[in-house]
Amino acid sequence: MPAKKKRITKADLDKIERAVKREAQKAAGALDGRFRPRVIKSKKKYTRKKPPPEDL
């Protein structure tokens, strides 16, 4: 009796697709630090302004 073939699930397909996409990005040089996305500060967070320096 031959062994059953393993079914490829949607999660497995997603993993394979992500791995292929990542390899393509590595080849293009996207992961070497030059193309880091800039962080946009959240406007919901309260920041306290520093008082002006005291002149003597």
Side-chain angles (χ1 to χ4, degrees):
M1 208 187 250
K4 283 187 175 181
K5 286 188 177 180
K6 184 180 175 187
R7 281 215 170 121
I8 298 175
T9 63
K10 182 134 175 81
D12 291 337
L13 279 175
D14 288 343
K15 284 181 188 177
I16 294 167
E17 286 177 15
R18 268 197 304 273
V20 170
K21 186 176 179 184
R22 186 172 177 83
E23 287 301 318
Q25 287 176 337
K26 278 185 185 178
L31 302 176
D32 62 3
R34 291 181 294 154
F35 299 101
R36 290 193 55 186
R38 294 201 173 138
V39 177
I40 299 170
K41 286 188 176 181
S42 173
K43 293 184 179 181
K44 292 181 180 180
K45 190 174 178 183
Y46 175 75
T47 54
R48 191 170 264 106
K49 293 182 179 139
K50 292 184 179 180
E54 306 236 352
D55 293 328
L56 294 176

